[in-house]
Amino acid sequence: MSLLFSGCSIPPLSVVGLSEQQAIEECKSDILVYTSSFNPMKNTVSGRQEKTVMKLLVDSETDKVIGASMCGPDAAEIMQGIAIALKCGATKAQFDSTVGIHPSSAEEFVTMRTLTRRVTAGAKPKTNL
C-alpha cells in the first residue's frame, strides 16, 4: 500500500493506498469505484462555492478498501483517519456500517453507497480522479 500523500496545494489534496491506475495494474479482481462531489455544509452557510471531491477504491473480491483520495478543505486531517482504516484492512461493509460524524465532510466516506463504476480486471482506467 502506498503511503499517505498530502500535497501542499490549494485546494488541499490527499491520497492513501492505491491510485485507480495502480489498482488496475495490481489487482486480479474488478475494482469498485465510489465517488462523491459536493459543496461542504460549512461553505453553504458562508456562500462559498468550494467543491470537495472524494473517491474510494474497493477490491470486488475481498471487499477491502484499497485506496482513497480527497480534494477539498481538511483533506489531510480526514485522510489520516482513512489511512488507519486501510492499514487495518477495513472493508467497504465496515465503512458502510460506521456512523458518520455530522455535520462533517468526513462522513461522506462512510455514506458512499452508490457504485459510480466497476472497472473490469485488466481494463484501462476511464479517469484519473
Side-chain angles (χ1 to χ4, degrees):
M1 179 187 317
S2 299
L3 296 175
L4 177 68
F5 165 80
S6 182
C8 296
S9 62
I10 300 175
L13 169 67
S14 291
V15 179
V16 67
L18 301 176
S19 69
E20 188 170 334
Q21 179 67 44
Q22 290 170 320
I24 291 167
E25 292 169 1
E26 296 179 23
C27 293
K28 298 190 181 350
S29 57
D30 292 358
I31 307 301
L32 307 177
V33 182
Y34 296 84
T35 61
S36 181
S37 177
F38 60 95
N39 192 25
M41 188 180 297
K42 69 180 182 180
N43 289 348
T44 303
V45 173
S46 67
R48 293 179 65 188
Q49 293 300 311
E50 184 177 33
K51 289 280 187 191
T52 291
V53 180
M54 297 177 171
K55 178 162 74 170
L56 278 178
L57 301 175
V58 179
D59 182 310
S60 66
E61 189 173 302
T62 64
D63 195 43
K64 283 190 178 180
V65 177
I66 56 174
S69 57
M70 177 180 174
C71 182
D74 306 316
E77 298 297 324
I78 292 169
M79 291 302 287
Q80 183 63 65
I82 301 297
I84 295 167
L86 267 66
K87 188 73 174 171
C88 292
T91 63
K92 180 67 167 84
Q94 290 170 318
F95 269 65
D96 292 347
S97 69
T98 301
V99 176
I101 300 167
H102 183 76
S104 73
S105 293
E107 74 181 306
E108 193 71 16
F109 276 113
V110 299
T111 59
M112 286 190 223
R113 303 282 198 282
T114 304
L115 182 66
T116 302
R117 66 183 173 281
R118 182 182 196 110
V119 181
T120 306
K124 296 197 184 262
K126 296 188 183 332
T127 181
N128 289 328
L129 175 64

